[in-house]
Amino acid sequence: MSGTTSDYVKMAAEVDRLDEEGRRDEAVSLAREVAEQARNADDEGFALFFSGESLCLEGNLEGGETLIRQAAAALPGETLVLVNHAIVLSLLGKTRRAVQILNRSLELKPDDLVALGQKGVCLAKLGYGRESLEAFDRILALDPDNLHALRNRGVALSRLGREKEAMACFDKALAADPADPHAQSEKKILEEEMRLKGTPLGWMVIWARKKVAPAFKRAANPLG
């Protein structure tokens, strides 16, 4: 490895690919190997980052977050590190802090699809449905075939009570990938909610789920 930023970005993508394919041990091994190579090249920031990634992959999110936070301090303008730090913070339940870091990353790289997607997911967790939808719409404007964004757009629309539009998103995602388990699950949830909506008390359940709960989340997690 030559030790350039683009090399580290490629290796991080390879670690992610291995993990997504269910090859977790190989992903951990590669992250450790790249960390060692970075350390030998005097790239301490990336050494910290990949060491943190390996800990996260092993399930030690707290330890991994500590190292990735140190990497972000050493590499303040590196969006790869910022976005991954935000992802770990979100997994730890520190979602508002994750949004703040994603905003910083997007200031540096406004069209970063991963950062936009993570921001959309985090905003949804915090009860900001409209803002979450805006993030997924932005991704689809840049990459119309992005199935992750399409599916998440459906979730955001569903939470805003726009069921027909949400169902269209799930159907389109499943037409492209009929085996997508997340789209299948979200479509079933929406179908059940639509069924409940037609029952005497079902509308109250949906109202509490989609209106009251998000309002409390927003009150507890102001973005300003």
Side-chain angles (χ1 to χ4, degrees), residues 134-176:
E134 289 173 2
F136 299 128
D137 281 343
R138 175 63 179 156
I139 295 173
L140 291 167
L142 295 166
D143 180 12
D145 297 324
N146 192 305
L147 295 183
H148 290 289
L150 180 62
R151 183 182 68 225
N152 285 326
R153 182 177 191 270
V155 174
L157 287 165
S158 175
R159 290 179 178 176
L160 290 170
R162 296 161 61 178
E163 288 92 352
K164 290 183 180 179
E165 294 173 82
M167 190 63 75
C169 288
F170 298 141
D171 286 340
K172 186 175 180 180
L174 288 168

Side-chain angles (χ1 to χ4, degrees), residues 20-168:
E20 289 172 2
E21 292 178 356
R23 299 158 65 184
R24 177 67 57 86
D25 290 344
E26 292 177 64
V28 171
S29 178
L30 179 59
R32 287 176 176 168
E33 179 183 334
V34 177
E36 185 62 25
Q37 291 174 351
R39 195 165 286 111
N40 291 337
D42 292 325
D43 292 333
E44 186 58 26
F46 283 109
L48 287 165
F49 171 73
F50 281 98
S51 294
E53 285 285 283
S54 69
L55 288 180
C56 289
L57 288 167
E58 291 176 313
N60 183 358
L61 291 177
E62 290 83 1
E65 189 276 325
T66 297
L67 293 182
I68 295 173
R69 176 165 24 93
Q70 292 172 1
L75 302 164
E78 181 49 63
T79 57
L80 168 68
V81 178
L82 290 172
V83 173
N84 279 272
H85 187 205
I87 291 171
V88 177
L89 287 170
S90 179
L91 291 171
L92 288 169
K94 301 176 181 180
T95 313
R96 186 169 176 242
R97 177 60 180 150
V99 171
Q100 293 171 341
I101 291 175
L102 289 166
N103 284 338
R104 188 192 316 162
S105 183
L106 286 165
E107 288 176 0
L108 297 167
K109 192 176 179 183
D111 294 339
D112 186 332
L113 299 183
V114 177
L116 286 166
Q118 289 299 321
K119 182 177 178 180
V121 170
C122 287
L123 288 170
K125 287 182 181 180
L126 295 172
Y128 289 88
R130 288 182 178 80
E131 293 82 354
S132 172
L133 179 60
E134 289 173 2
F136 299 128
D137 281 343
R138 175 63 179 156
I139 295 173
L140 291 167
L142 295 166
D143 180 12
D145 297 324
N146 192 305
L147 295 183
H148 290 289
L150 180 62
R151 183 182 68 225
N152 285 326
R153 182 177 191 270
V155 174
L157 287 165
S158 175
R159 290 179 178 176
L160 290 170
R162 296 161 61 178
E163 288 92 352
K164 290 183 180 179
E165 294 173 82
M167 190 63 75

Side-chain angles (χ1 to χ4, degrees), residues 127 207-218:
W207 176 75
R209 184 183 299 168
K210 295 189 175 182
K211 299 294 183 183
V212 178
F216 276 113
K217 287 180 180 179
R218 289 193 298 273

